[in-house]
Amino acid sequence: MTTDLLWSPPCPGTGMSPNLRLNEIVTDRRRHGLDTLHLGFGEARLPLVPELEEVLAGAAADTAYAPVAGTPAAREAVAGYFRRRRLPTHPAQVVLAPGSKPLLFAVFTALGGDVYLPAPCWNSYAPQVALSGRAPVPVPIGGTYGGLPDPALLERRIGEDLRRGVRPAAVVVNSPDNPTGTSVPREAMRELCRVARDAGLTLVSDEIYRDLHHEGGDRFASPAELAPERTVVCTGLSKSLAIGGWRIGGARFPAGASGAGLRDRTLAVASEVWSALAAPMQAVAAYAFAEPPAITERLRRSARMHGSVSRACHTICRSHGAAARRPTAGFYVYADFEARRRDLARHGVVDSASLAQQLLDRFGIAVLGGHHLGDDPRRLAFKVATTGFVGETPEEQSAALDAADAAGLPHVRRRLRWLDSALAALTAPPTDWTR
Ligand SMILES: Cc1ncc(COP(=O)(O)O)c(C=O)c1O
């Protein structure tokens, strides 16, 4: 059984993606009868919205290849989705794909230049940029929210790069983000757009968590509103509707000639790599992106549930001395235990890899260490995907969706206590644990 979390590929993109690898480690542990709290995989894991199952069943007989960019109905639905979010969109600006992950890769490939990334960020951006033959350039996030490189640090870094003759092409923004579960305020987004515009960068805005603001409503300023001429937006249904395995993603390209050029180069990659989103999934996309009441109601309940559980997890991490941004959207908490370094060191925990490894080996808790997310490997940080608290069975998951405060449910509380006691044991000062 492989359980080695210290391992990471020698360079981005040369080994299995760490979250998928961790997922397999957890499956393996469970197969060997080891009880495991899986907080290392950003899968929403909720019961299927029944209407989606009906739409899929109705489209199952459609076995033909769909158009590369997507069917007219699906593209119109995605365009409408963006229009309802203050982004005028023609269906010609839309491309659908089997997940936003391949779409992001195709966009990076089509951009053809180095890419600035927030650090920490989702573990696949850097490998994707590297696989597209370009350099991922991490730039630290600021203090109170994640998802974008701190604009002042980015501006300084661009200045240095230009002096060295480097010509970067793009900057990634991910709001609300993985891994801090926060949303970028409008002013900061505006400042980032100014920096990107001054440097001639394209903004790649990954908005896959946009519909999961815990307090509901649309509280987010997309860079596509603030810098429409240079922003590509990627989104998908994996997180908001918990259908990651169905692989439905979409992108919105800027209007105008340069946006059309980037779309066409992205389509060229798509046509050579995945051809098209599967036809039955085009029907699902056409239904879901049109946002009928069954969908908006699910979004509302999911966001409420993720908020309750994420806040509870945040409180636990803070109570053990971690610095962690307060989560307001999505389903992640990013905790940094630097303040407990001396206590952790007594347990052999000296960096994010050994922290994640001890949580798994001693307490059966799987988290993703910050070293996999572009953070300084010495930092005592990890990401919690809070969906792991929600439950394993459809009954547990439905109860969590229905509850006004999911964190108060007995099965959720039991898992929260699991993390709580593990952190207590791992950070216990010597007077406690030598007695
Ligand atoms: C920030 C972010 N972007 C994109 C994805 C990919 O989602 P999908 O390919 O399922 O659309 C993920 C999944 O974990 C994610 O966290």
Side-chain angles (χ1 to χ4, degrees):
M1 187 170 69
T2 325
T3 60
D4 181 10
L5 302 182
L6 299 171
W7 176 94
S8 64
C11 33
T14 58
M16 185 176 321
S17 195
N19 57 341
L20 295 171
R21 185 167 177 277
L22 181 58
N23 209 31
E24 294 188 5
I25 289 174
V26 170
T27 307
D28 218 23
R29 279 178 58 93
R30 287 178 172 162
R31 202 178 302 127
H32 284 80
L34 295 171
D35 206 8
T36 308
L37 178 60
H38 192 1
L39 305 177
F41 196 51
E43 184 170 14
R45 291 193 306 159
L46 292 171
L48 183 58
V49 176
E51 287 81 352
L52 291 176
E53 190 167 2
E54 285 162 27
V55 174
L56 181 61
D62 189 351
T63 52
Y65 284 94
V68 178
T71 61
R75 294 170 86 188
E76 171 49 39
V78 176
Y81 168 91
F82 284 118
R83 286 197 292 268
R84 287 189 296 282
R85 286 160 181 75
R86 300 178 298 280
L87 297 172
T89 308
H90 189 276
Q93 290 170 254
V94 171
V95 173
L96 284 111
S100 60
K101 200 169 180 177
L103 254 181
L104 283 159
F105 175 69
V107 170
F108 292 141
T109 307
L111 278 166
D114 296 346
V115 180
Y116 295 110
L117 301 176
C121 65
W122 178 45
N123 56 263
S124 282
Y125 297 132
Q128 287 200 346
V129 172
L131 287 169
S132 77
R134 306 296 171 167
V137 186
V139 178
I141 60 175
T144 49
Y145 47 83
L148 90 174
D150 179 81
L153 294 179
L154 177 65
E155 191 159 34
R156 195 178 317 148
R157 178 67 202 250
I158 293 172
E160 290 162 11
D161 285 348
L162 293 179
R163 277 192 293 282
R164 288 192 295 122
V166 178
R167 289 265 152 217
V171 54
V172 168
V173 184
N174 172 216
S175 179
D177 81 311
N178 172 359
T180 77
T182 59
S183 193
V184 177
R186 179 176 278 265
E187 273 321 303
M189 194 68 93
R190 197 185 296 285
E191 181 58 7
L192 187 84
C193 289
R194 181 195 63 75
V195 172
R197 193 176 271 131
D198 287 354
L201 300 181
T202 297
L203 287 132
V204 179
S205 184
D206 180 350
E207 300 180 8
I208 196 160
Y209 297 99
R210 175 173 189 153
D211 298 320
L212 293 177
H213 279 99
H214 299 159
E215 305 298 329
D218 188 28
R219 301 160 176 267
F220 167 64
S222 170
E225 276 179 68
L226 305 168
E229 77 291 354
R230 62 187 59 252
T231 302
V232 181
V233 180
C234 288
T235 187
L237 303 178
S238 301
K239 314 296 174 179
S240 54
L241 295 178
I243 51 171
W246 286 13
R247 314 300 303 123
I248 299 174
R252 174 193 183 274
F253 290 85
S258 81
L262 183 56
R263 179 206 56 201
D264 290 349
R265 293 195 300 282
T266 303
L267 281 174
V269 178
S271 68
E272 300 295 5
V273 180
W274 65 81
S275 298
L277 173 63
M281 294 309 170
Q282 305 266 355
V284 173
Y287 172 81
F289 279 109
E291 299 179 287
I295 297 298
T296 50
E297 176 55 15
R298 165 53 74 89
L299 294 178
R300 190 189 66 74
R301 291 197 298 154
S302 304
R304 178 182 67 177
M305 181 198 73
H306 293 312
S308 166
V309 176
S310 296
R311 283 191 299 273
C313 174
H314 178 251
T315 302
I316 289 170
C317 293
R318 299 268 301 157
S319 76
H320 294 290
R325 292 163 186 82
R326 190 175 166 278
T328 55
F331 39 72
Y332 301 102
V333 171
Y334 193 67
D336 181 343
F337 285 85
E338 188 57 39
R340 305 300 305 272
R341 180 172 287 279
R342 279 184 53 201
D343 297 322
L344 286 164
R346 293 175 203 279
H347 298 265
V349 171
V350 291
D351 52 20
S352 59
S354 50
L355 178 54
Q357 189 76 57
Q358 291 244 3
L359 279 169
L360 186 64
D361 292 346
R362 289 184 50 199
F363 305 100
I365 298 177
V367 295
L368 208 57
H371 58 297
H372 288 306
L373 308 170
D375 209 345
D376 183 338
R378 289 164 302 182
R379 208 184 286 275
L380 296 165
F382 59 78
K383 174 183 81 171
V384 172
T386 59
T387 50
F389 295 115
V390 168
E392 297 297 329
T393 64
E395 292 73 27
E396 286 180 336
Q397 294 162 358
S398 293
L401 264 180
D402 290 342
D405 187 10
L409 293 173
H411 75 269
V412 179
R413 281 217 323 265
R414 184 180 69 76
R415 291 186 173 87
L416 287 164
R417 272 201 304 270
W418 188 342
L419 178 67
D420 192 18
S421 354
L423 292 177
L426 205 52
T427 56
T431 44
D432 286 342
W433 61 270
T434 50
R435 245 186 285 166

